[in-house]
Amino acid sequence: GQNIDQPTEMTATEGAIVQINCTYQTSGFNGLFWYQQHAGEAPTFLSYNVLDGLEEKGRFSSFLSRSKGYSYLLLKELQMKDSASYLCAVRPSYSGAGSYQLTFGKGTKLSVIP
Amino acid sequence: EAGVAQSPRYKIIEKRQSVAFWCNPISGHATLYWYQQILGQGPKLLIQFQNNGVVDDSQLPKDRFSAERLKGVDSTLKIQPAKLEDSAVYLCASSLDVLLGDRGQETQYFGPGTRLLVL
């Protein structure tokens, strides 16, 4: 089975740093994705991790520990436009057709306040 | 590059009525996904196509939901008859062919979604 947990809501101040955690228990693992979803809009791809460690992309970084089943998304220099839901998604092990499916967590709604 | 297109953007129907959604994926993307996203939750996969074949429809409520991708490009998702609990956003996503694309990422690109309200 697949189980992905992330906090439901978080609030942070403009200009600050926020870390959104994600823990997962899945049958196999072949990558973890983070997506950003503004209210009423489609999810957009932010980052991808398949090996342990930190991936940095501008103000956004994502970390993965496969042994712990744990990832986090780090947002620096928060801006008001970063207010959105952040979805953690896991892809199971590759085993042919259907292996690129993603299982999503429920998302973390981040509110950035002045 | 044009993104994933979906229509309509919004639909309001009464329970027991039928509804259909349309999706046109990114050009060249062989794999197409339909997701259901209930308010406050993450997207849940309903069906996955590769070209015009179904890869996985294990989570599709087949008594009322159907989907097709006849020519391997655009796709339709139908609900007949609709229930109150079908109220959700229906997202379509596409990705490059699993045999030709970057197997390391295979990023899925999402359309704007169709927001369905069943009364």
Side-chain angles (χ1 to χ4, degrees), chain A residues 53-106:
Chain A
L54 188 69
E55 293 283 340
E56 297 186 79
K57 192 185 290 186
R59 295 190 298 116
F60 291 52
S61 303
S62 57
F63 172 83
L64 175 68
S65 169
R66 289 172 296 172
S67 62
K68 296 181 179 178
Y70 167 70
S71 173
Y72 68 72
L73 180 69
L74 193 71
L75 291 76
K76 303 175 186 174
E77 302 170 12
L78 279 173
Q79 302 176 9
M80 299 300 289
K81 67 178 181 179
D82 297 330
S83 292
S85 286
Y86 291 85
L87 300 165
C88 174
V90 173
R91 183 173 65 196
S93 296
Y94 181 76
S95 60
S99 295
Y100 291 93
Q101 294 177 12
L102 296 176
T103 299
F104 283 85
K106 293 185 177 182

Side-chain angles (χ1 to χ4, degrees), chain A residues 35 37 42 48 91 100-101, chain B residues 37 48 56 104-106 108 111:
Chain A
Y35 280 81
Q37 187 175 28
Y48 165 78
R91 183 173 65 196
Y100 291 93
Q101 294 177 12
Chain B
Q37 186 174 25
Q48 178 187 356
D56 185 351
Q105 289 207 15
E106 278 302 325
Q108 294 184 23

Side-chain angles (χ1 to χ4, degrees), chain A residues 8 30 33 35 37 39-45 48 50 87 91 94 96-107, chain B residues 9 33 35 37 40-43 45 48 50 55-56 91 98-99 102-112 115:
Chain A
T8 302
N30 190 28
F33 292 73
Y35 280 81
Q37 187 175 28
E41 298 183 12
T44 55
F45 170 74
Y48 165 78
V50 67
L87 300 165
R91 183 173 65 196
Y94 181 76
S99 295
Y100 291 93
Q101 294 177 12
L102 296 176
T103 299
F104 283 85
K106 293 185 177 182
Chain B
R9 292 296 310 276
Y33 310 80
Y35 290 88
Q37 186 174 25
Q41 298 192 15
L45 180 71
Q48 178 187 356
Q50 186 173 342
V55 172
D56 185 351
L91 294 165
V98 297
L99 297 179
D102 176 359
R103 287 171 57 169
Q105 289 207 15
E106 278 302 325
T107 302
Q108 294 184 23
Y109 296 91
F110 285 83
R115 190 174 299 272

Side-chain angles (χ1 to χ4, degrees), chain B residues 21-41:
Chain B
F21 313 127
W22 175 81
C23 171
N24 191 23
I26 293 173
S27 178
H29 281 197
T31 307
L32 184 148
Y33 310 80
W34 281 103
Y35 290 88
Q36 179 192 59
Q37 186 174 25
I38 293 172
L39 187 64
Q41 298 192 15

